[in-house]
Amino acid sequence: MSEQINDQELMDVSDAEDNSTVERCLTFESGDLILYISTKHVIEIINNHSITPLPLVAPYIKGIINLRGQILPVVDLKLRMGQGDAASTNSTCIIVLDINSVSLGILVDSVRQVVNINLKNVRPIPLKRQQKLLDGMVIMEDGSVFMSIDCQALSRTDD
């Protein structure tokens, strides 16, 4: 009987190790890519919010929004990754993020779902597919490929 307890304790430890590498992530679309970002950075998702344009800023900064008294810059993710500009649709939304106490919004084509991603399965992006702001990829069980957003690069203003 003590062997069963020890086996169970070992299983609990291995499960805990597996859970420590699993992270809840929000998946969304930008251009032809499916991207993900840890939910620990996501504050909220907003639709149909007017963006006030700003002069003399980088082209990928769409402008600012006033979110309950807090002024947030909004970054067009497609422009920031060098994919070009696209028209807004009904599914276009702003994901409000907090990255190291820096709040900003990212404009994306659509939000998909929240998934659990095992960080052990994240691989480097092949050189021919590398783009600005991406720092890893994971192939899901259904064969779809999700790309990871580099939060530190996203919060920097340098190109």
Side-chain angles (χ1 to χ4, degrees):
M1 185 131 197
S2 65
E3 288 180 23
Q4 289 178 344
I5 294 172
N6 289 337
D7 288 343
Q8 183 62 39
E9 288 174 359
L10 289 175
M11 287 174 55
D12 290 344
V13 170
S14 66
D15 287 346
E17 288 174 3
D18 288 345
N19 288 338
S20 67
T21 63
V22 173
E23 189 154 352
R24 306 253 320 143
C25 297
L26 177 69
T27 60
F28 53 92
E29 295 179 26
S30 181
D32 61 347
L33 298 175
I34 301 172
L35 306 167
Y36 70 90
I37 192 165
S38 172
T39 55
K40 67 183 177 187
H41 297 297
V42 178
I43 304 301
E44 65 182 295
I45 300 165
I46 51 179
N47 297 313
N48 301 324
H49 205 287
S50 66
I51 301 172
T52 305
L54 293 174
L56 306 173
V57 295
Y60 59 83
I61 298 177
K62 282 300 206 189
I64 56 173
I65 60 172
N66 182 341
L67 187 63
R68 294 181 296 281
Q70 183 180 13
I71 304 300
L72 299 175
V74 176
V75 175
D76 185 326
L77 205 51
K78 275 193 259 184
L79 284 175
R80 182 73 167 95
M81 293 192 308
Q83 293 181 337
D85 198 5
S88 294
T89 65
N90 288 339
S91 58
T92 301
C93 58
I94 299 169
I95 302 173
V96 179
L97 304 173
D98 181 24
I99 302 169
N100 297 331
S101 299
V102 174
S103 296
L104 65 112
I106 56 173
L107 192 64
V108 300
D109 292 339
S110 65
V111 171
R112 294 183 67 152
Q113 63 186 351
V114 175
V115 297
N116 290 327
I117 294 181
N118 188 335
L119 300 180
K120 289 182 180 178
N121 296 334
V122 176
R123 302 284 178 252
I125 297 173
L127 288 176
K128 66 179 183 175
R129 285 288 289 173
Q130 282 189 349
Q131 295 185 18
K132 292 179 184 179
L133 301 180
L134 303 180
D135 65 353
M137 63 182 249
V138 64
I139 300 173
M140 303 304 283
E141 289 177 8
D142 66 357
S144 57
V145 178
F146 294 176
M147 305 278 190
S148 172
I149 293 287
D150 181 353
C151 293
Q152 304 311 316
L154 182 62
S155 64
R156 287 193 304 263
T157 57
D158 59 334
D159 285 333

